[in-house]
Amino acid sequence: MNIIQQLRQTIQGPQLTWCIARAVKLSTKSFKKEIDLFHSIRYNFGKSFSSSGTFYSTSSSACQHVAIVGSGPAGYYTAQKLLKSHPDLVVDIYEKLPVPFGLVRFGVAPDHPEVKNVINTFTNTANSDRCNFFGNVELGKDLSLKDLRDAYTAVVLCYGAAEDRVLGIPGEDLPNVLSARSFVGWYNGLPQDAQLPVNLDCESAVVLGHGNVALDVARILLTPISILEKTDISEHALEALRRSSVKRVHIVGRRGPLQVAFTIKELREMTQLPDTRTVIQQTDVDGIDKYIQDLPRPRKRLTDLIYKSSVSPGEKEVKTWKEASREWRLVFLRSPLQILQDTNGQVKGIELAVNRLEGDSLKNQRAVATDEREVIHCGLILRSIGYRGLPLDDDLPFNNSRGVIENKNSRIKNEKGLYCAGWIGHGPVGVIVDTMTDGFETGKIILADIQSGVLESNDEHKRQGLLKSLQAKAITFSDWKKIDRAETEAGAKVGKPREKISDIQQMIQIAKS
Ligand SMILES: Cc1cc2nc3c(=O)[nH]c(=O)nc-3n(C[C@H](O)[C@H](O)[C@H](O)COP(=O)(O)OP(=O)(O)OC[C@H]3O[C@@H](n4cnc5c(N)ncnc54)[C@H](O)[C@@H]3O)c2cc1C
Ligand SMILES: NC(=O)c1ccc[n+]([C@@H]2O[C@H](COP(=O)([O-])OP(=O)(O)OC[C@H]3O[C@@H](n4cnc5c(N)ncnc54)[C@H](OP(=O)(O)O)[C@@H]3O)[C@@H](O)[C@H]2O)c1
């Protein structure tokens, strides 16, 4: 079959006319050139060009194909760098959920819509003809790392941190002792957490940890419904929060005000919550004012706000706090010892050790328990002491204590063609901008390895075989757009930016309709 016959089989309309014109012009060249032309035309037309109705793009075997696992910020920023800097490279993004964007969709708080604007950047990348999205495909279940390594020039693991740290204290597995990770998933419509048994029938809640996730979950517990109902918070969570009796949230950290992990914007939001009082004991901030001047700028402003909120709040705050019906308390130097239960096995409080700090460097001071003990009575406990990554494949060199894949500058130790980026590579800390920098750096490193000849071209037959085997299951980016449309339409009816679908079968049904 000559080139023109092949083209007739694969395209129609104006594209065909253009391609035939190009093919005829070049048809005097050697047969090999014809084949190259055929591939290059197919390649440039990308996905829309496929003859068998398949959903994946085709390309010349000389092209480099990179697989990315995980469609959060690390995945999309790595893809962006690769696609922008290499004219031919093709990226296939595999995602275990039917929907993209990782923690931008399932982590970022519903009352922070501006943060989610990065989705527009990811969508631009996803719309490239050289970028494919295969949702509903899970590494470790639907395909193995070996499948990917056999089929691609390079594989980049960007699958984030799917677990959380535990305290290992008695009572941690009682009902209503929940990880903040699951609670966040619950209010953000993450399918696995949609049915989380959250009981808000108590006046007092404790959040353990002094990071931004702790402030996120505390803020959601205390924010008036009139504000939350205009966000994309999940309907089941909104309904539970409407009936909530929670009036007081204690945010408990093991160290002092100079060591908190949260940031100023999130603290300020807490101090400005409507109808909510901020309580920071003056004894806890005594003496920290003398350090403020010498702290690095972000820490200086943050510490200043903690100090002033305790010692000399502004007029507006004083007025609101005096009349407020709810409150949150910032509790320092306390470590959880055990969770206390009543005779029905329900949480009734938490016993804490009172700590002192040891060590010279303020930032790295350690909490050491004294003999003093204290109990906070509460009916709900949210553990917010950090996320944790998992290995996912036995062959991966993994640092279990840090929950990260062993790597040096994104290159996975002793594994040619295998890279990682984002939280699974450097641990579960850092905001989206930090993850962006990491994704861009990872992209650069892969490009350098392609340039220097370290990486070989992939086996395109194997890649096509793999894609074919996943075809019935995988959700493409245009499938996702159908889900997106259904969610935004449902949201518009109730004055929300979107009503998230949290049932996987329903997502698939809409996507494949
Ligand atoms: C609760 C919370 C709120 C946050 N809020 C903000 C904020 O307001 N502003 C800000 O700048 N930063 C925020 N961050 C930080 C930000 O979310 C992270 O920096 C960023 O999401 C990390 O990106 P990542 O791609 O490494 O991981 P993730 O975003 O977690 O993406 C990982 C992706 O991999 C997928 N995956 C997992 N396992 C598999 C598998 N086996 N196969 C295929 N795919 C898989 C996951 O489903 C997910 O889509 C927040 C973090 C949390 C936890
Ligand atoms: N709005 C936002 O921008 C936003 C929102 C949410 C999350 N994020 C980002 O996402 C990342 C993760 O946030 P995170 O809050 O999960 O983690 P984090 O910032 O690492 O905070 C974890 C907190 O848990 C405490 N902790 C850890 N182990 C503990 C233990 N065994 N006992 C008691 N306390 C313990 C830590 O205290 P020590 O310091 O003493 O270890 C720290 O206060 C951060 O980079 C965060 O900034 C950003």
Side-chain angles (χ1 to χ4, degrees):
M1 190 161 46
N2 71 22
I3 177 75
I4 293 176
Q5 286 166 323
Q6 286 192 53
L7 286 170
R8 273 190 206 288
Q9 282 201 350
T10 53
I11 36 170
Q12 290 112 34
Q15 287 178 354
L16 176 65
T17 317
W18 182 86
C19 289
I20 290 176
R22 288 271 298 151
V24 168
K25 202 170 159 201
L26 295 171
S27 63
T28 49
K29 306 263 166 80
S30 69
F31 179 67
K32 187 182 170 305
K33 280 249 168 75
E34 275 195 344
I35 293 298
D36 282 347
L37 169 71
F38 173 68
H39 281 307
S40 112
I41 293 169
R42 279 173 66 97
Y43 178 68
N44 287 324
F45 274 90
K47 315 176 237 242
S48 59
F49 201 89
S50 138
S51 57
S52 55
T54 50
F55 52 89
Y56 47 86
S57 70
T58 50
S59 73
S60 139
S61 55
C63 283
Q64 310 282 353
H65 294 85
V66 174
I68 291 180
V69 180
S71 68
Y76 269 109
Y77 282 125
T78 305
Q80 182 180 327
K81 181 72 198 171
L82 290 170
L83 294 168
K84 269 204 168 158
S85 310
H86 192 300
D88 303 321
L89 190 144
V90 174
V91 171
D92 292 342
I93 299 181
Y94 292 93
E95 164 60 52
K96 76 170 173 184
L97 290 166
V99 293
F101 311 137
L103 283 171
V104 177
R105 176 179 164 104
F106 292 117
V108 171
D111 57 341
H112 285 171
E114 69 292 347
V115 178
K116 301 185 197 199
N117 288 340
V118 290
I119 286 177
N120 298 332
T121 309
F122 301 160
T123 301
N124 281 341
T125 301
N127 283 338
S128 158
D129 277 348
R130 293 185 289 121
C131 186
N132 301 301
F133 173 76
F134 303 111
N136 198 31
V137 177
E138 182 171 349
L139 174 66
K141 191 173 138 208
D142 302 308
L143 41 67
S144 67
L145 189 54
K146 185 173 181 314
D147 292 334
L148 289 176
R149 296 188 76 181
D150 286 349
Y152 287 89
T153 304
V155 177
V156 198
L157 300 175
C158 301
Y159 61 76
E163 281 295 329
D164 47 77
R165 291 197 199 118
V166 291
L167 290 158
I169 59 168
E172 205 169 353
D173 50 2
L174 285 173
N176 240 23
V177 180
L178 307 170
S179 75
R181 183 183 56 81
S182 305
F183 187 76
V184 167
W186 173 72
Y187 64 63
N188 272 332
L190 182 64
Q192 71 191 48
D193 294 322
Q195 309 299 327
L196 190 75
V198 180
N199 180 354
L200 302 177
D201 196 13
C202 55
E203 286 209 353
S204 186
V206 164
V207 179
L208 299 169
H210 274 174
N212 278 328
V213 173
L215 295 200
D216 271 4
V217 297
R219 196 178 66 252
I220 294 298
L221 282 171
L222 293 169
T223 297
I225 291 296
S226 56
I227 296 176
L228 289 180
E229 64 191 5
K230 295 194 184 74
T231 72
D232 68 1
I233 190 167
S234 288
E235 192 51 36
H236 56 252
L238 194 57
E239 206 34 56
L241 288 160
R242 271 198 189 102
R243 295 192 310 268
S244 169
S245 308
V246 175
K247 291 197 158 37
R248 193 175 314 109
V249 178
H250 307 258
I251 308 183
V252 179
R254 61 179 166 185
R255 299 195 287 162
L258 291 163
Q259 290 87 25
V260 294
F262 52 72
T263 41
I264 189 162
K265 177 176 164 283
E266 287 64 31
L267 174 64
R268 186 169 291 120
E269 276 178 297
M270 290 300 291
T271 64
Q272 293 177 352
L273 272 175
D275 191 29
T276 307
R277 178 183 315 113
T278 295
V279 181
I280 304 174
Q281 297 295 341
Q282 284 204 22
T283 46
D284 281 336
V285 298
D286 266 353
I288 66 164
D289 47 327
K290 68 172 183 266
Y291 297 111
I292 292 178
Q293 277 319 308
D294 298 327
L295 294 170
R297 191 173 146 76
R299 176 64 65 178
K300 182 175 169 176
R301 293 179 59 229
L302 172 65
T303 312
D304 196 45
L305 181 58
I306 296 175
Y307 186 75
K308 288 197 175 129
S309 303
S310 172
V311 175
S312 55
E315 246 174 67
K316 195 171 148 229
E317 280 80 12
V318 171
K319 186 169 182 300
T320 311
W321 296 356
K322 202 169 157 199
E323 295 160 2
S325 67
R326 300 175 173 198
E327 71 176 31
W328 73 281
R329 293 174 164 257
L330 197 49
V331 181
F332 297 105
L333 295 171
R334 301 288 185 274
S335 279
L337 289 177
Q338 64 167 323
I339 291 159
L340 309 169
Q341 54 181 307
D342 63 16
T343 47
N344 297 321
Q346 302 300 310
V347 174
K348 68 168 187 184
I350 183 162
E351 187 186 356
L352 304 159
V354 177
N355 297 332
R356 62 183 165 76
L357 292 177
E358 255 184 17
D360 293 334
S361 133
L362 285 182
K363 192 174 156 222
N364 297 321
Q365 280 186 316
R366 282 187 320 115
V368 179
T370 66
D371 294 336
E372 207 180 326
R373 302 286 179 263
E374 188 178 281
V375 169
I376 298 180
H377 295 284
C378 61
L380 167 69
I381 295 176
L382 298 175
R383 182 188 61 229
S384 183
I385 60 167
Y387 284 47
R388 197 168 63 87
L390 297 173
L392 284 198
D393 192 286
D394 292 342
D395 291 340
L396 278 178
F398 201 76
N399 181 327
N400 275 310
S401 62
R402 291 184 57 223
V404 296
I405 301 170
E406 299 273 15
N407 69 96
K408 193 164 182 220
N409 300 331
S410 306
R411 292 186 181 99
I412 297 180
K413 235 175 149 179
N414 306 327
E415 304 286 346
K416 195 173 86 170
L418 195 55
Y419 305 81
C420 60
W423 278 19
I424 194 57
H426 64 241
V429 279
V431 291
I432 294 167
V433 172
D434 303 313
T435 309
M436 177 187 79
T437 309
D438 190 32
F440 286 173
E441 282 304 312
T442 307
K444 257 195 219 165
I445 280 163
I446 296 168
L447 292 164
D449 286 352
I450 290 174
Q451 187 85 33
S452 67
V454 169
L455 299 179
E456 290 142 25
S457 289
N458 61 302
D459 183 335
E460 185 53 5
H461 285 294
K462 284 205 172 139
R463 173 176 171 265
Q464 292 296 342
L466 184 64
L467 295 182
K468 226 171 207 154
S469 72
L470 296 167
Q471 185 173 355
K473 186 174 190 351
I475 302 292
T476 64
F477 206 78
S478 17
D479 292 339
W480 146 247
K481 286 180 180 169
K482 291 187 206 162
I483 302 174
D484 185 34
R485 206 173 312 123
E487 288 187 342
T488 44
E489 281 171 10
K493 288 186 188 145
V494 289
K496 294 166 84 172
R498 74 172 61 236
E499 190 62 67
K500 283 185 192 164
I501 297 164
S502 55
D503 179 76
I504 289 193
Q505 287 318 315
Q506 199 186 342
M507 287 176 183
I508 294 171
Q509 206 182 347
I510 293 171
K512 298 286 186 190
S513 63

